[in-house]
Amino acid sequence: LATVAVTRRWLEHLQAFLEPTGRKLSSLKDSHLTDYQRSLSWSPGPGGKLYAANSANQAIDVIRRFYRWAHIEGLLSKDPAAHLRTRRAASRPRRELTATEARQLLTQPDLATFGGARDRAI
């Protein structure tokens, strides 16, 4: 779960994104949030770099939870963030062990203990 500070930071980020348009958090439409999600992918953050997929996902998660809460509390008639989905983060390519690394790994468990025998079997 995101902390209060992280939640606040992302909501302030959304508010700063909306500032030039004069829109408020309470009067957004689905399309405004879609534009915000796109901006996370294509606009650099404060450090000048594009946001990583995990950061963009964290922002979208915070926004979705905020609007879900506002809708449940009756502050909004509908949840404008319900359609937002997080991006799938790219996984790192897997590397196979070399024969030497595999031998080293198999010699690590202490076969005199139950845990070592289990680890070796695995």
Side-chain angles (χ1 to χ4, degrees):
L1 292 174
T3 63
V4 172
V6 170
T7 299
R8 177 184 208 137
R9 188 186 77 206
W10 283 117
L11 289 174
E12 287 172 349
H13 188 266
L14 173 60
Q15 196 168 19
F17 171 79
L18 297 170
E19 223 168 77
T21 64
R23 291 188 174 88
K24 304 238 182 272
L25 291 177
S26 59
S27 62
L28 292 184
K29 295 182 180 174
D30 300 3
S31 61
H32 302 134
L33 291 172
T34 300
D35 291 343
Y36 175 69
Q37 185 174 24
R38 277 194 207 117
S39 79
L40 290 171
S41 300
W42 299 105
S43 300
K49 295 181 179 180
L50 293 177
Y51 287 105
N54 288 339
S55 296
N57 287 343
Q58 183 183 53
I60 295 306
D61 186 50
V62 164
I63 302 305
R64 283 177 27 200
R65 282 186 286 115
F66 172 74
Y67 281 108
R68 186 179 317 126
W69 168 82
H71 176 65
I72 289 169
E73 291 294 314
L75 302 171
L76 297 173
S77 59
K78 81 172 217 155
D79 178 359
H83 73 286
L84 295 177
R85 299 289 174 254
T86 54
R87 298 185 301 172
R88 186 173 183 174
S91 62
R92 293 181 179 166
R94 294 184 182 202
R95 181 181 74 83
E96 291 183 21
L97 296 176
T98 65
T100 303
E101 290 171 329
R103 275 191 295 281
Q104 287 175 340
L105 185 64
L106 291 173
T107 59
Q108 292 297 319
D110 180 5
L111 298 179
T113 66
F114 174 76
R118 178 206 57 210
D119 292 349
R120 173 69 186 263
I122 292 172

